[in-house]
Amino acid sequence: MAEAGVEILCVGTELLLGDILNGNARWIAERLAGLGLPHYRQTVVGDNRQRLAAAAREASGRCRVLITTGGLGPTPDDLTTESLAAAFETPLEERPELWDEIQANLSAGGRAVAPSNRRQAFLPRGAAVLPNPLGSAPGMIWSPLPDFTILTFPGVPSEMRAMFEATAEPWLRRHGGATGVFVSRLLRFSGIGESNLAEQVADLLEGVNPTVAPYASLGDVKLRLTACGSSAESAAALLDPVEAELRRRTAQHCYGTTDDSLASVVLALLQRSGQTLSVAESCTGGGLGAALTAVPGSSAVFAGGVIAYSNAVKQQLLDVPAELLERHGAVSDPVVAAMAEGARQRLGTDWSIAVSGIAGPGGGTDEKPVGLVHLAVSGPDGCEATAERFGDRRGRGAVQQLTVIRALDRLRRRLLAQS
Amino acid sequence: MAEAGVEILCVGTELLLGDILNGNARWIAERLAGLGLPHYRQTVVGDNRQRLAAAAREASGRCRVLITTGGLGPTPDDLTTESLAAAFETPLEERPELWDEIQANLSAGGRAVAPSNRRQAFLPRGAAVLPNPLGSAPGMIWSPLPDFTILTFPGVPSEMRAMFEATAEPWLRRHGGATGVFVSRLLRFSGIGESNLAEQVADLLEGVNPTVAPYASLGDVKLRLTACGSSAESAAALLDPVEAELRRRTAQHCYGTTDDSLASVVLALLQRSGQTLSVAESCTGGGLGAALTAVPGSSAVFAGGVIAYSNAVKQQLLDVPAELLERHGAVSDPVVAAMAEGARQRLGTDWSIAVSGIAGPGGGTDEKPVGLVHLAVSGPDGCEATAERFGDRRGRGAVQQLTVIRALDRLRRRLLAQS
């Protein structure tokens, strides 16, 4: 009945209360992907004997390896080891050598040995110790059933990671049942919606090795390419032609890969040509500058800018003529063009981006509704202004975020056209 | 057999690959805790028909309400609706009114309607639409079995949250099986760590009705107060004295409640006194202005500012003397004070905040390490500059975010002292 593969079972009432993010599951999942181990399910239960045991028994019918996190500490609500023993009707036994080690570990870490730590020296009969070099809570490697092994880890991320890397990863390489090495790559897109992109590459989404899968979040569309090979090199070699075909079909819509952002791509293009950038922001209020300066090393290209939220600041720090503001209003092509020119002049940069819009929820009119944003990009080859309409339903934060994305994408396309 | 309670089923291969943190599960779990609904299990499966259907059938034997996230988009790997229909052997039906709405939503958002969006208009027979005010992917509220209801949400966090608050939360209050009416309130803190706060209010954390629980994320500490009563009024009445006692003990560390942010509190204080604000940002690159302009109506108080990322901009747009920059360096009390004064003069505001620091990962020295940030607040009663050390381990984004929080908190305390 059991599929091949690994499941993760995270134990902790704090996860069920929403107190903390499940960073352990993400970290282990990423490692399993890197090991090429199929991983089909994650489960979270609280510090509860029955539910923990039930989840482990269910997993034993589905997978070959179950990785648990949490519940290995010395307190009464740390129940993982005893619940797993109960789930598979196996007695707990004290391991004297483990008790020595726990005492030594605690003393070496300058911590007191409490009587409750002794609980941590009990493991189910037949289980091997999974050593914890950083803390007092050891884990175990235990096969309660044929072809089903449980690996337990504490919930403290640093201890879990150290134990995983030192002991579990080598064990999983040998016993995890991987049928190869998986390599994964993201392609990132701008200026095209998820459904349109999926239609353009529909045939490639049907592929088996590599697989191609689309993901979308606000203003951001991605394709994940995943290949399996006998080595990392052979897996990567399977990805290359598919990536090339995807790039060919989507042309400039594809702006980068895994670690790129629109800001990092724009900054890299400018750095390559030795050019500099400034911004003039109204409706984004600094969000454009924040996106650019989120990138390490941005100071080589980005000089700064003006947050021209009020009209007075637009006039005073960006030299936008009062007459333009009066005639066209602050949300207009002529005004954003003047803002961009003003920033470029005042800050002495090669390029500048200016944005002005109605982020909402108030301030909209029939003629200029919430979600209307004007953008301008000014550079050595001139200034272009244009309007975008993001609609009045998505909320203020989304209009601001989409404005930042669209503005950076406009500059990116101008820079590509230039080069 | 079914226990009362709610389970969460998150659908997405990206979760199983470790690409993203499961922030949706944490957010929903926190909401369920606030609603007083028991929540014993979370499950994650990939974009796979069989495994999704199996997980849903299993949940139907354990819980009354299953909340799913993800897999509602238009692409072929969005399988949630059809897999749930198959799991409970119910045919899908097209809902013409839903198709109209999806088209209207896409058009209002300025997006193209793709033929694949039509898939999103199909729901299992008997299911009600769970409207999505922000996106094209609607959810559903469906009871495939007696005493078992599924609520589906898209994976995009902003859409999921808006739908949850608008439709699911009221539904869960009525039908979730909570024994009484739960009312929840957050108190928000700044300038005090989670453990110190917990120690100061340790006795209140032991309370049963209301419960008080601490939560912490980067630079942000909260206490969640939850009371259960026979009506919302009686529950709220239980919260009031505990909130008053918490506020008395924590004094100015408590800056607001559920819907407040440091920025919204600062803007409200300024609006009350009819005063205005500007910013001068170096290391945050616009993040301070973005935090302020995230608040609707901020234009009544916030004039704008200067992103003075380069020293030339500090001199030219903020009148920082070259001599100061040379003598003290850009990351120093004298320079942030001059930046704040410059912004206040140039933008003609009553108050201004200036920040300059080393966000990293590069640029640190022994004397001025990564994580060192200087802040200045200038107002009618003078200018105060100070240094903060956020350390070199947290990363660039965290230093920038902590700088924004600390700067706003300094202004908040100055404004409280003034009033």
Side-chain angles (χ1 to χ4, degrees):
Chain A
M1 275 290 283
E3 298 189 69
V6 183
E7 292 195 11
I8 302 174
L9 172 61
C10 298
V11 181
T13 299
E14 69 275 22
L15 289 164
L16 294 183
L17 288 173
D19 290 355
I20 57 170
L21 272 164
N22 197 347
N24 284 341
R26 197 202 66 78
W27 190 88
I28 295 170
E30 201 178 351
R31 288 304 174 111
L32 295 175
L35 288 164
L37 291 171
H39 165 46
Y40 297 130
R41 195 190 279 232
Q42 297 166 4
T43 306
V44 177
V45 296
D47 303 312
N48 175 286
R49 274 183 195 80
Q50 286 70 38
R51 284 187 280 267
L52 207 167
R57 274 193 306 267
E58 292 163 23
S60 72
R62 285 187 306 254
C63 65
R64 289 165 50 99
V65 178
L66 177 65
I67 292 176
T68 75
T69 67
L72 298 188
T75 73
D77 65 351
D78 287 307
L79 301 166
T80 299
T81 307
E82 66 181 78
S83 304
L84 292 173
F88 299 99
E89 293 166 5
T90 305
L92 289 169
E93 293 175 342
E94 183 168 18
R95 308 294 172 94
E97 76 289 359
L98 190 52
W99 177 224
D100 292 345
E101 198 182 303
I102 289 168
Q103 290 172 292
N105 263 345
L106 285 168
S107 306
R111 283 165 296 177
V113 180
S116 59
N117 286 117
R118 188 147 194 165
R119 289 183 63 221
Q120 300 176 293
F122 284 79
L123 294 184
R125 183 177 296 163
V129 176
L130 202 170
N132 181 345
L134 299 184
S136 73
M140 66 177 176
I141 301 181
W142 180 39
S143 301
L145 301 172
D147 211 26
F148 176 67
T149 306
I150 303 174
L151 281 68
T152 65
F153 297 85
V156 180
S158 56
E159 299 183 13
M160 182 278 288
R161 293 178 187 200
M163 293 163 69
F164 195 94
E165 288 176 347
T167 307
E169 219 161 72
W171 186 92
L172 286 166
R173 277 187 207 284
R174 284 196 309 277
H175 306 291
T179 52
V181 178
F182 283 73
V183 173
S184 196
R185 196 178 291 167
L186 284 179
L187 291 184
R188 298 180 178 277
F189 298 85
S190 191
I192 184 168
E194 185 188 15
S195 4
N196 284 326
L197 176 62
E199 275 163 35
Q200 241 178 66
V201 301
D203 53 326
L204 299 170
L205 300 183
E206 304 294 321
V208 172
N209 193 21
T211 58
V212 179
Y215 299 96
S217 51
L218 184 69
D220 195 30
V221 177
K222 295 172 278 191
L223 291 177
R224 170 175 287 279
L225 289 62
T226 306
C228 178
S230 57
S231 68
E233 291 68 32
S234 67
L238 290 170
L239 293 181
D240 293 336
V242 177
E243 175 178 342
E245 175 60 16
L246 287 167
R247 283 180 181 271
R248 192 190 63 74
R249 289 201 205 170
T250 56
Q252 290 194 1
H253 291 314
C254 178
Y255 71 81
T257 56
T258 313
D259 297 324
D260 294 322
S261 67
L262 271 174
S264 75
V265 167
V266 161
L267 289 167
L269 285 169
L270 287 166
Q271 189 149 23
R272 205 169 305 151
S273 59
Q275 294 181 308
T276 55
L277 174 65
S278 61
V279 297
E281 306 188 52
S282 185
C283 64
T284 47
L288 195 46
L292 288 160
T293 56
V295 181
S298 43
S299 57
V301 167
F302 180 61
V306 173
I307 304 171
Y309 213 53
S310 73
N311 281 353
V313 176
K314 289 182 185 76
Q315 292 176 54
Q316 215 171 332
L317 291 183
L318 293 170
D319 309 310
V320 176
E323 175 263 338
L324 272 192
L325 285 162
E326 215 159 287
R327 184 137 50 102
H328 303 283
V331 181
S332 65
D333 277 354
V335 166
V336 281
M339 288 169 66
E341 288 300 326
R344 207 157 78 89
Q345 294 300 325
R346 286 283 193 117
L347 285 94
T349 55
D350 301 297
W351 292 88
S352 73
I353 313 175
V355 300
S356 181
I358 298 152
T365 62
D366 282 351
E367 197 197 344
K368 296 189 176 180
V370 168
L372 174 68
V373 176
H374 285 256
L375 312 171
V377 172
S378 172
D381 56 353
C383 182
E384 276 178 15
T386 179
E388 299 268 1
R389 289 167 190 271
F390 300 120
D392 59 359
R393 302 208 177 176
R394 307 204 214 194
R396 181 177 179 85
V399 169
Q400 291 173 322
Q401 198 180 325
L402 289 166
T403 301
V404 168
I405 290 169
R406 216 56 72 88
L408 290 172
D409 197 44
R410 291 211 156 256
L411 173 57
R412 180 181 70 92
R413 290 169 191 260
R414 281 281 291 278
L415 293 171
L416 290 175
Q418 164 198 259
S419 62
Chain B
M1 274 289 284
E3 300 189 68
V6 182
E7 291 196 12
I8 302 173
L9 172 61
C10 298
V11 181
T13 300
E14 68 275 23
L15 289 163
L16 294 183
L17 288 172
D19 290 353
I20 57 170
L21 272 163
N22 196 347
N24 283 341
R26 197 203 67 76
W27 189 90
I28 295 170
E30 198 180 350
R31 287 305 174 112
L32 294 176
L35 288 164
L37 291 172
H39 165 45
Y40 298 128
R41 193 189 280 231
Q42 296 166 5
T43 306
V44 177
V45 295
D47 303 311
N48 174 288
R49 277 185 193 81
Q50 285 70 37
R51 285 188 279 267
L52 208 167
R57 274 192 307 265
E58 293 162 21
S60 72
R62 286 187 307 254
C63 66
R64 288 166 50 99
V65 178
L66 177 65
I67 292 175
T68 75
T69 66
L72 299 188
T75 72
D77 66 347
D78 288 305
L79 301 166
T80 301
T81 306
E82 68 182 75
S83 304
L84 292 173
F88 300 100
E89 292 164 9
T90 305
L92 288 169
E93 294 176 339
E94 182 168 18
R95 308 294 172 92
E97 75 288 1
L98 191 52
W99 177 224
D100 292 345
E101 198 181 302
I102 290 167
Q103 291 173 290
N105 264 344
L106 285 169
S107 306
R111 284 166 296 178
V113 179
S116 58
N117 287 118
R118 188 146 193 169
R119 289 184 63 221
Q120 299 175 294
F122 282 80
L123 295 183
R125 183 177 297 161
V129 177
L130 203 170
N132 181 344
L134 299 183
S136 73
M140 66 176 175
I141 301 182
W142 181 39
S143 300
L145 302 173
D147 212 25
F148 177 67
T149 304
I150 302 174
L151 280 69
T152 64
F153 296 85
V156 179
S158 57
E159 298 182 13
M160 182 278 287
R161 294 179 184 197
M163 292 162 70
F164 196 95
E165 288 177 345
T167 306
E169 218 161 74
W171 187 91
L172 287 165
R173 279 187 204 284
R174 283 196 311 276
H175 305 291
T179 54
V181 178
F182 283 74
V183 173
S184 196
R185 195 178 294 168
L186 283 179
L187 291 184
R188 297 180 179 276
F189 297 85
S190 192
I192 184 169
E194 187 187 15
S195 22
N196 284 328
L197 177 62
E199 275 165 35
Q200 245 178 63
V201 302
D203 53 323
L204 299 170
L205 299 183
E206 305 293 319
V208 172
N209 193 20
T211 57
V212 179
Y215 297 91
S217 51
L218 184 70
D220 194 32
V221 177
K222 297 174 276 187
L223 291 176
R224 174 177 289 280
L225 288 63
T226 306
C228 178
S230 56
S231 68
E233 291 69 33
S234 67
L238 291 171
L239 292 181
D240 293 336
V242 177
E243 174 178 342
E245 175 60 16
L246 287 166
R247 283 181 180 272
R248 193 190 62 72
R249 292 199 204 171
T250 56
Q252 288 193 2
H253 290 314
C254 178
Y255 72 80
T257 56
T258 313
D259 296 324
D260 294 322
S261 66
L262 272 173
S264 75
V265 167
V266 160
L267 290 167
L269 286 169
L270 288 167
Q271 187 150 25
R272 205 169 306 150
S273 59
Q275 293 179 307
T276 55
L277 175 64
S278 60
V279 297
E281 306 188 51
S282 184
C283 65
T284 47
L288 194 46
L292 288 160
T293 55
V295 181
S298 44
S299 57
V301 166
F302 181 63
V306 173
I307 305 172
Y309 212 52
S310 74
N311 282 352
V313 176
K314 290 181 184 77
Q315 293 175 54
Q316 214 171 333
L317 291 183
L318 293 170
D319 308 310
V320 176
E323 177 263 338
L324 272 191
L325 285 162
E326 217 159 286
R327 183 134 54 102
H328 303 281
V331 180
S332 65
D333 277 355
V335 166
V336 281
M339 287 169 67
E341 288 299 328
R344 206 156 77 89
Q345 294 300 324
R346 285 283 194 117
L347 285 95
T349 55
D350 301 297
W351 292 87
S352 73
I353 313 177
V355 300
S356 181
I358 298 153
T365 63
D366 283 352
E367 199 197 343
K368 295 188 176 178
V370 167
L372 174 69
V373 176
H374 286 256
L375 312 170
V377 173
S378 173
D381 55 354
C383 181
E384 276 177 16
T386 179
E388 300 267 0
R389 287 167 191 274
F390 299 121
D392 59 0
R393 301 210 176 177
R394 307 203 213 197
R396 182 177 179 87
V399 170
Q400 291 174 321
Q401 198 180 326
L402 288 167
T403 301
V404 169
I405 289 169
R406 215 55 71 88
L408 290 172
D409 197 44
R410 291 212 155 257
L411 173 58
R412 180 181 71 91
R413 288 169 193 261
R414 281 279 294 277
L415 293 172
L416 289 175
Q418 164 199 259
S419 62

